[in-house]
Amino acid sequence: MARKPQTIFVQIAAYRDPELVKTIEDMLENAKKPQNLVLGICRQYHPEDGFDNLDKYRDDKRFRISDVLYTDAKGVCWARNQVQQLYGGEMYTLQIDSHHRFVQDWDLELIEMYNQLKEKGHEKPLLTGYVSSFDPDNDPSGRMQEPWRMAFDRFIPEGAVFFLPETIPGWQNLKEPVTSRFYSAHYCFTLGQ
């Protein structure tokens, strides 16, 4: 499949999230080239909620929406797989949760970081992180300004790893992404193939 130059396939698995529409609006408003975005969304909804209504995007060719009644939902990994079936050959892909906020020109910044790592010899860079929090009732001033990464905290009794965010040391002086030990499925950017 030939990739479509400079396009980003944004993958969003949403489960009855009141932040979904606000996430989409903020993403489009802060993108340098919103025309290059394609949003694949698995919207797991309850008919009475209403806050995650995507009707205003249904005629927009940039949107590929899979509506799933909440009683038919089968978990976040299943929903992410549903979204991945909507991929159409975009050059890059960004997987996020349905509750995010974006900096100005975030799309070009991600592409520049990716290309910077390619130039340094990384064959297929993958940008991931523990995205800093925000307060939806006090946005944008309630956004955490320090970038975070995932850090091992402990093993839980069931044997799985429990992660916590930690501030990336020296982030104020960084000129390029730092290596990571862990992959975060709620924020990942890489080549779309």
Side-chain angles (χ1 to χ4, degrees):
M1 174 184 298
R3 288 177 291 156
K4 301 170 186 171
Q6 301 304 306
T7 53
I8 301 174
F9 179 62
V10 181
Q11 304 178 45
I12 304 175
Y15 183 85
R16 301 181 68 183
D17 192 341
E19 290 297 313
L20 173 61
V21 173
K22 294 175 190 171
T23 295
I24 293 168
E25 289 170 350
D26 195 70
M27 174 191 307
L28 295 172
E29 181 179 312
N30 286 301
K32 181 73 171 181
K33 297 185 177 184
Q35 70 276 13
N36 288 350
L37 304 179
V38 176
L39 285 78
I41 303 168
C42 181
R43 176 182 159 255
Q44 300 162 97
Y45 71 100
H46 187 296
E48 296 175 10
D49 286 343
F51 49 66
D52 61 351
N53 187 312
L54 300 179
D55 286 349
K56 67 181 179 180
Y57 300 112
R58 295 198 186 274
D59 292 331
D60 188 326
K61 63 180 178 151
R62 297 174 299 171
F63 285 78
R64 302 174 188 150
I65 302 167
S66 172
D67 292 307
V68 178
L69 192 61
Y70 78 105
T71 54
D72 295 331
K74 297 179 178 132
V76 68
C77 293
W78 174 85
R80 286 179 176 146
N81 178 267
Q82 297 303 301
V83 172
Q84 289 168 356
Q85 305 313 306
L86 303 173
Y87 174 71
E90 291 74 26
M91 179 170 273
Y92 302 101
T93 186
L94 171 65
Q95 179 175 285
I96 61 169
D97 284 346
S98 51
H99 37 269
H100 279 278
R101 294 298 181 268
F102 297 80
V103 297
Q104 189 64 48
D105 300 340
W106 64 268
D107 50 339
L108 294 188
E109 287 211 26
L110 283 173
I111 292 170
E112 286 173 14
M113 280 190 233
Y114 179 90
N115 288 331
Q116 179 184 36
L117 292 170
K118 286 279 288 186
E119 289 169 9
K120 289 180 83 69
H122 300 281
E123 191 172 324
K124 187 177 178 186
L126 183 142
L127 299 166
T128 188
Y130 201 117
V131 175
S132 304
S133 65
F134 70 97
D135 177 358
D137 295 325
N138 185 23
D139 190 58
S141 60
R143 295 181 186 187
M144 176 65 69
Q145 297 301 311
E146 297 177 344
W148 292 344
R149 65 180 177 190
M150 293 180 68
F152 171 84
D153 182 59
R154 67 184 179 279
F155 287 102
I156 61 173
E158 297 79 14
V161 174
F162 186 79
F163 294 99
L164 287 175
E166 72 176 5
T167 301
I168 298 172
W171 66 271
Q172 301 92 331
N173 301 315
L174 293 174
K175 303 289 185 221
E176 61 186 40
V178 297
T179 56
S180 176
R181 292 181 180 196
F182 305 107
Y183 168 85
S184 177
H186 83 272
Y187 187 82
C188 175
F189 180 83
T190 192
L191 199 60
Q193 67 179 88

